[in-house]
C-alpha cells in the first residue's frame, strides 16, 4: 500500500502508540485528587506542555478539545461570546474564502444567530493567498472585528502571510483566529501574536479525536460546552487522557521531522508529473506552500475516476479536503482561486508525512501514467 493522504490524517507515530498504550493502564479520572487521578492529570499536563512548546505558547493557554473542528468552533464562538461579556461585542466577522468548512459554517451560524454581527468573506488571489489589501479595506470600516484565517490551506498547501495579517488586525483593534491544523508540524509555526490558534493531533502523527485551542492571556473568551470545571473552566467534559497522551508524544517527535526531505519528495513528484503530462496543472505552485502538499489536475480525467483507479493500484490520495470526500461539487477553495469548474473537477491532492518514502511518489506517478494511457485508448 502507498499512502499519500497525510493532510486527511497522518499515520500514527510509534511514539504516540506507545504513549497511548501506557495511558490506557492509568485508570483514574484526571479531575480526581487521589493517586490514580493525579497520575492521569500528570499525563494531561505533560502533553499540554509539549503542545505549548510546539506552538511557542504557555501551557496554561492550551485547551484540549475533541478535534480541530471543535477547536475552531470553540475559538469563534468563545471569542464572540467573550467579547459580548466585556461590553465590547464583535461587530464584524471576516473569514477568508478558502477556510475549512468548520470555520466557514461556524461563522455563518454565528451571523445567523447574532444579527448584529456582520459576516463577510475575504478574497484570495489566483495562487490562493489572501488579499491583505482587501482585509485592510474591511478593517478601515471601524467596529470590533474578528478575523479567521488558516495558516496553510488543507487542499493546496498554500501558506498565508499570517504575521502580516495578524499585525493588520491588531492595528485596527481586532482579534485574530489562526487555524494552524495543517501547518503545525509541517511548517515553521509559532503564535505570531494570534489571539486564538487551533491545532489537531492526527494531522501530525497523533491519534484522531483530539485537538487543542491555544489562546493569548488577554483574549476574550466564554465557554461553549458547560457542565464541569475541566480545562480551567474553558471546556467542560472529562479529558480524553489516552488521546491527549498520544497528542503530546506526537507534538514532541514531529519537531524532529526532516521537513527538507518532505519538500524533496514533493518536488520529485511534481517534476515527474511534468515529465509525464505536459498539460498537468499544479495549483498554487507560485505561492509559498507546505513542503508536503501538491494539489494538481490532469485535464480530462475526472477526480472520481482517478481516485478509484489509484486505489485499485494500492495508491491512496485525495480529491481535496477529506471532509468533502464523495461530493461531486468542485472544491470551494479552487472556486475562490478562480479555477474553471471543469478543471476543478479533475483536482487531486497528494500529501506526504513523517513515514513517506520515495516509493510512494513513484507508485503514484506510475498509477497516474497507467490511468492516462487507458483514458487515451478509450478516447481513440
Amino acid at each position: 500500500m502507498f499512502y499519500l493522504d497525510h493532510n486527511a490524517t497522518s499515520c500514527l507515530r510509534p511514539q504516540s502508540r506507545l504513549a497511548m498504550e501506557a495511558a490506557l493502564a492509568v485508570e483514574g479520572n484526571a479531575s480526581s485528587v487521589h493517586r490514580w487521578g493525579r497520575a492521569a492529570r500528570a499525563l494531561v499536563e505533560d502533553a499540554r506542555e509539549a503542545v505549548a512548546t510546539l506552538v511557542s505558547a504557555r501551557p496554561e493557554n492550551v485547551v484540549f478539545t475533541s478535534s480541530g473542528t471543535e477547536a475552531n468552533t470553540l475559538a469563534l464562538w468563545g471569542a464572540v461570546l467573550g467579547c459580548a461579556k466585556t461590553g465590547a461585542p464583535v461587530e464584524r466577522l471576516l473569514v477568508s474564502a478558502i477556510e475549512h468548512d468548520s470555520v466557514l459554517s461556524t461563522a455563518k451560524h454565528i451571523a445567523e444567530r447574532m444579527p448584529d454581527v456582520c459576516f463577510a468573506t475575504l478574497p484570495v488571489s489566483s495562487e490562493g493567498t489572501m488579499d491583505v489589501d482587501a482585509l485592510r479595506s474591511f478593517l478601515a470600516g471601524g467596529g470590533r472585528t474578528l478575523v479567521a484565517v488558516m495558516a496553510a490551506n488543507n487542499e493546496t498547501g498554500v501558506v498565508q502571510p499570517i504575521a502580516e495579517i495578524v499585525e493588520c488586525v491588531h492595528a485596527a483593534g481586532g482579534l485574530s483566529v489562526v487555524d494552524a491544523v495543517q501547518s503545525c508540524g509541517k511548517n515553521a509555526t509559532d503564535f505570531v501574536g494570534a489571539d486564538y490558534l487551533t491545532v489537531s493531533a492526527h494531522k501530525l502523527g497523533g491519534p484522531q479525536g483530539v485537538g487543542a485551542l491555544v489562546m493569548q492571556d488577554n483574549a476574550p473568551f466564554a465557554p461553549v460546552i458547560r457542565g464541569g470545571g475541566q480545562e480551567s473552566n474553558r471546556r467542560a467534559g472529562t479529558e480524553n487522557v489516552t488521546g491527549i497522551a498520544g497528542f503530546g508524544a506526537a507534538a514532541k517527535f514531529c519537531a524532529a521531522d526532516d521537513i527538507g526531505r518532505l519538500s524533496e519528495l514533493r518536488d520529485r513528484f511534481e517534476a515527474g508529473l511534468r515529465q509525464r503530462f505536459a498539460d498537468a496543472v499544479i495549483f498554487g505552485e507560485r505561492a509559498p506552500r507546505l513542503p508536503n502538499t501538491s494539489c494538481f489536475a490532469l485535464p480530462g480525467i475526472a477526480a472520481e475516476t482517478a481516485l478509484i483507479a489509484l486505489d485499485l493500484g494500492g495508491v491512496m490520495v485525495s480529491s481535496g479536503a477529506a471532509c468533502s470526500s464523495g461530493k461531486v461539487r468542485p472544491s470551494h477553495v479552487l472556486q475562490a482561486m478562480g479555477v474553471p469548474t471543469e478543471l476543478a473537477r479533475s483536482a487531486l491532492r497528494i500529501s506526504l508525512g513523517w513515514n513517506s518514502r520515495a516509493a510512494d511518489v513513484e507508485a503514484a506517478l506510475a498509477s497516474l501514467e497507467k490511468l492516462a494511457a487507458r483514458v487515451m485508448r478509450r478516447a481513440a
Side-chain angles (χ1 to χ4, degrees), residues 16-38:
S16 290
R17 187 183 299 276
L18 289 172
M20 293 167 69
E21 289 173 351
L24 285 170
V26 178
E27 303 286 355
N29 185 314
S31 294
S32 298
V33 296
H34 50 63
R35 65 185 64 190
W36 283 9
R38 294 196 303 273

Side-chain angles (χ1 to χ4, degrees), residues 344-363:
R345 291 187 188 279
S346 296
L348 295 170
R349 179 193 69 191
I350 69 151
S351 48
L352 307 165
W354 63 271
N355 61 347
S356 293
R357 311 156 296 166
D360 298 321
V361 168
E362 294 304 323

Side-chain angles (χ1 to χ4, degrees), residues 320-367:
C323 304
S324 300
S325 293
K327 295 181 181 178
V328 178
R329 64 179 177 82
S331 157
H332 74 279
V333 174
L334 298 182
Q335 286 182 317
M337 292 167 61
V339 175
T341 299
E342 284 307 309
L343 184 60
R345 291 187 188 279
S346 296
L348 295 170
R349 179 193 69 191
I350 69 151
S351 48
L352 307 165
W354 63 271
N355 61 347
S356 293
R357 311 156 296 166
D360 298 321
V361 168
E362 294 304 323
L365 290 169
S367 291

Side-chain angles (χ1 to χ4, degrees), residues 210-282:
V210 57
L213 166 62
V214 188
M215 297 183 292
Q216 292 279 29
D217 288 333
N218 58 351
F221 183 79
V224 176
I225 301 176
R226 300 174 181 273
Q230 293 88 354
E231 297 302 294
S232 300
N233 292 305
R234 295 172 295 189
R235 195 267 187 182
T238 303
E239 287 100 340
N240 172 11
V241 176
T242 303
I244 289 171
F247 191 179
K252 292 176 184 177
F253 285 93
C254 77
D257 284 348
D258 185 353
I259 301 302
R261 184 182 68 87
L262 291 182
S263 181
E264 289 174 4
L265 287 176
R266 193 272 312 277
D267 292 347
R268 177 174 178 166
F269 172 80
E270 292 184 348
L273 199 66
R274 293 289 195 200
Q275 290 172 0
R276 290 166 173 81
F277 309 100
D279 59 347
V281 177
I282 298 173

